[in-house]
Amino acid sequence: MFKYSRTEYSIINMMASIGGYVLNIILSFICRIVFVHQLGSEYLGINGLFSNILSMLSLAELGIGTAMLYALYKPVADNNYKKIAAYMKIYGYAYRIIGCIIGGMGVALIPFLNFLIKNPPNINENIILLYLLFLFSTMSSYFFSYRSSILIANQRNYIVLTISYIVVIIQNIVQIIMLFISKNYLLYLIIQVVFVLISNILISNVAVREYPFIKSNDASKLSRDEILALVKNIKALTVTKLSGILVNNTDNIVITYFRGLITTGVISNYLLLTNTINSLVNQVFTSISASLGNLNAVGKQEHKYIVFKALNLINFWLYGWAAVGIITLSGDIVELFFGEKYVMDMEIPVVLAINFYMLGMQCVVGLYKSTMGLFRYGQYILLITAGINLAGDIILGKKYGVIGILGATVIARLFTNTWYEPFVIYKHGFQKKFHEYILRYIEYAIVLLITCVISFEICELFHSSFEMSFIVKVLVWLLVPNVCFVVAFKKREEFKYILNAAGRLKIRYIKNDLKR
């Protein structure tokens, strides 16, 4: 089978990620607008609440997926088909058990739904039936999705993404048409469940067709050391995943408890925006994860560090730029697409932007920690993150409402994984002095703060019609952050490395075109 270089695989994966995701965003956003206008905020609240509950149930996955993907990098690089088949056999067996566990746990939670939803929504559908549809969609994925890992480990994530996005795009079109015709939320959910199932089956079939040996009975047995290493990584990832779920997926549940489903629906429009941007930016880094795993498996230490610094600057640039946009534009976007009654006070987008930026700055750090196999470090400090967040949600949420709940997440991250996870990769991955990262992180934060102030003050100078003000804000967001970042970092080694890498890649493609 023909193979591209790591860089070429990264670019192909990135193009598939971003291209498909942008089209998917547009259709999903249109679907969301139609959803809001046809069904209302109470249905939005149900969507957000059930999605968060089932994200918490996915704890049963125990981090097996991440640990297994890391375990596959080396045998894939060595073309050790029997070893790959052995890992895939264990992976499939584990995921089938997990699917059943999630189903059982989900059913067991049904009696507690009334506790979370103190004021039942005024809807026609049976809320238990809606919940069961969400549950089936989540648990059924585990019976097929594990096979996508063989494609990802071989740096062919573009295949997984292409199938996923095509199916989701068709799903959104069907849902939009259905909402206009029937305004039926139950039918909307059934369509979603059917298309999720179709996507998983298609990806599974492609994986088997491309790598038929994964179903072979001639798989080698894993050694005792390999099994122990796998179990150790899964144990560490279980704790990490638990804390991540408690930090990232409890806000909607607490907001529903203290403020009701309608408030959850209103804040979910802002969360949709920030989560969409986060997912879009994340496509860039997810698309290079397999190539980075290959680099960390066989590359030289100093080269790994140079690439990290360059990626960390790109990480800051993308998330910092997006954070400025969330502060300056999110209220206007919500008003434009959903209506003025859904606009919240300015402090909400500010806190959401801080949360977004802090989480985003962990992206490359987390990618290196994962592809270096450093799962076991820092697993328990993340439980402290979750504990601080949960306590803050309850205490601050009761006193300050939504802003207190969102602020609790900022506080939890600031005092724990914001500094500890990079400390792990610097000490155990690069063997470098950690203060280098801290100084760079502080510098990035100062540059971003100055950029936000400049952008906000320029926007405040223009008080015109909504349309003209919105255009000015978009132009400010497009220009000011990028100019500020270029001025701040143009002399940095990592900035020059990025430009040189882009130049080398361009020359290589020109040469390839001339040979054709």
Side-chain angles (χ1 to χ4, degrees):
M1 183 185 292
F2 176 76
K3 287 192 174 183
Y4 295 100
S5 68
R6 278 195 296 257
T7 304
E8 288 169 329
Y9 269 126
S10 294
I11 291 171
I12 293 170
N13 286 327
M14 200 177 298
M15 288 172 65
S17 296
I18 296 174
Y21 193 74
V22 167
L23 184 56
N24 183 42
I25 283 175
I26 295 169
L27 278 170
S28 295
F29 208 63
I30 293 171
C31 190
R32 178 78 166 203
I33 294 168
V34 175
F35 187 105
V36 170
H37 289 290
Q38 297 294 327
L39 296 176
S41 56
E42 286 192 314
Y43 284 102
L44 271 180
I46 291 170
N47 240 33
L49 176 64
F50 287 170
S51 295
N52 275 193
I53 289 172
L54 292 168
S55 293
M56 293 183 72
L57 282 181
S58 67
L59 168 66
E61 195 264 348
L62 299 174
I64 289 174
T66 306
M68 197 62 70
L69 192 57
Y70 170 72
L72 285 171
Y73 287 137
K74 191 67 169 67
V76 164
D78 295 338
N79 293 318
N80 191 337
Y81 299 138
K82 290 187 176 181
K83 188 72 70 179
I84 295 169
Y87 277 117
M88 291 300 293
K89 193 172 182 179
I90 293 174
Y91 199 2
Y93 178 72
Y95 258 38
R96 284 189 290 273
I97 292 175
I98 288 165
C100 295
I101 292 172
I102 286 178
M105 290 170 62
V107 171
L109 278 177
I110 290 175
F112 299 96
L113 291 179
N114 289 333
F115 172 76
L116 291 173
I117 307 172
K118 292 190 291 185
N119 298 313
N122 183 26
I123 60 175
N124 297 322
E125 296 84 358
N126 184 295
I127 201 161
I128 303 298
L129 177 59
L130 299 180
Y131 172 74
L132 288 173
L133 282 170
F134 271 93
L135 178 61
F136 177 79
S137 181
T138 300
M139 66 170 286
S140 63
S141 297
Y142 287 91
F143 290 87
F144 303 98
S145 62
Y146 71 94
R147 285 181 178 159
S148 65
S149 62
I150 187 64
L151 292 164
I152 298 169
N154 277 280
Q155 304 180 69
R156 302 180 73 193
N157 195 33
Y158 59 90
I159 295 175
V160 178
L161 293 169
T162 301
I163 294 172
S164 298
Y165 287 138
I166 288 173
V167 173
V168 170
I169 287 166
I170 296 171
Q171 172 194 313
N172 281 327
I173 292 171
V174 174
Q175 286 179 314
I176 289 169
I177 294 170
M178 184 281 308
L179 284 171
F180 274 119
I181 294 172
S182 70
K183 297 184 181 180
N184 189 312
Y185 182 62
L186 182 61
L187 186 55
Y188 174 92
L189 275 186
I190 291 171
I191 292 169
Q192 181 174 299
V193 170
V194 169
F195 276 91
V196 167
L197 202 57
I198 290 171
S199 176
N200 285 322
I201 291 171
L202 287 174
I203 292 169
S204 177
N205 288 342
V206 170
V208 172
R209 188 187 69 209
E210 294 290 315
Y211 304 97
F213 61 84
I214 64 175
K215 291 190 74 176
S216 170
N217 293 322
D218 191 29
S220 63
K221 289 187 177 181
L222 298 180
S223 68
R224 184 174 180 274
D225 288 343
E226 288 170 330
I227 292 172
L228 287 175
L230 193 60
V231 170
K232 186 182 291 186
N233 287 337
I234 290 171
K235 178 187 172 186
L237 283 163
T238 300
V239 178
T240 302
K241 186 155 189 176
L242 169 62
S243 57
I245 286 170
L246 290 175
V247 172
N248 299 320
N249 296 100
T250 55
D251 286 355
N252 270 350
I253 297 171
V254 179
I255 290 170
T256 300
Y257 181 78
F258 283 120
R259 301 293 171 175
L261 275 171
I262 292 177
T263 303
T264 303
V266 173
I267 191 67
S268 70
N269 288 324
Y270 284 87
L271 293 174
L272 170 70
L273 183 62
T274 57
N275 291 339
T276 298
I277 298 169
N278 182 59
S279 296
L280 176 59
V281 179
N282 222 1
Q283 301 302 310
V284 176
F285 299 107
T286 301
S287 61
I288 66 170
S289 60
S291 300
L292 199 57
N294 183 272
L295 170 66
N296 286 327
V298 299
K300 294 181 180 179
Q301 191 75 349
E302 199 55 39
H303 184 54
K304 295 177 190 177
Y305 185 57
I306 292 170
V307 173
F308 169 79
K309 289 198 295 184
L311 288 175
N312 200 40
L313 176 58
I314 295 171
N315 194 163
F316 162 77
W317 201 298
L318 294 175
Y319 278 97
W321 184 34
V324 176
I326 291 168
I327 292 172
T328 56
L329 285 167
S330 60
D332 294 295
I333 291 172
V334 169
E335 181 176 351
L336 180 64
F337 289 103
F338 302 109
E340 190 175 354
K341 68 177 182 178
Y342 289 98
V343 177
M344 304 190 81
D345 293 336
M346 187 62 189
E347 60 261 26
I348 297 296
V350 169
V351 178
L352 283 173
I354 295 170
N355 254 324
F356 170 87
Y357 173 75
M358 291 176 70
L359 180 63
M361 284 302 289
Q362 297 293 110
C363 190
V364 168
V365 170
L367 203 56
Y368 264 78
K369 186 180 177 186
S370 171
T371 55
M372 285 179 164
L374 302 172
F375 307 115
R376 67 185 184 276
Y377 296 106
Q379 51 185 304
Y380 297 112
I381 199 169
L382 291 176
L383 281 177
I384 298 174
T385 309
I388 294 172
N389 181 64
L390 199 54
D393 278 350
I394 295 169
I395 297 168
L396 299 179
K398 188 174 182 179
K399 188 171 183 179
Y400 300 107
V402 174
I403 192 70
I405 293 168
L406 298 175
T409 309
V410 173
I411 295 168
R413 287 199 175 109
L414 181 64
F415 286 102
T416 52
N417 55 327
T418 291
W419 64 268
Y420 191 81
E421 290 207 346
F423 170 76
V424 167
I425 64 165
Y426 264 71
K427 181 177 180 180
H428 302 287
F430 299 130
Q431 287 82 48
K432 298 283 185 180
K433 293 180 180 178
F434 176 56
H435 74 269
E436 293 178 19
Y437 178 87
I438 288 294
L439 291 175
R440 190 58 46 87
Y441 191 94
I442 293 171
E443 181 186 13
Y444 286 161
I446 292 171
V447 170
L448 181 58
L449 178 61
I450 293 170
T451 303
C452 285
V453 171
I454 293 172
S455 300
F456 185 79
E457 290 300 324
I458 293 175
C459 290
E460 285 294 295
L461 293 175
F462 296 89
H463 294 284
S464 185
S465 64
F466 174 83
E467 292 79 8
M468 184 57 67
S469 177
F470 182 73
I471 292 171
V472 168
K473 288 179 181 179
V474 170
L475 292 174
V476 168
W477 170 66
L478 290 172
L479 294 173
V480 174
N482 288 304
V483 171
C484 290
F485 295 165
V486 169
V487 171
F489 302 115
K490 62 183 179 180
K491 295 183 180 180
R492 286 297 167 84
E493 176 191 11
E494 51 266 45
F495 185 80
K496 294 175 182 177
Y497 177 88
I498 294 166
L499 293 180
N500 290 335
R504 288 196 302 270
L505 193 61
K506 184 177 179 181
I507 291 170
R508 179 174 176 177
Y509 274 97
I510 291 172
K511 287 181 178 179
N512 287 340
D513 285 340
L514 291 173
K515 290 177 183 178
R516 291 170 184 169

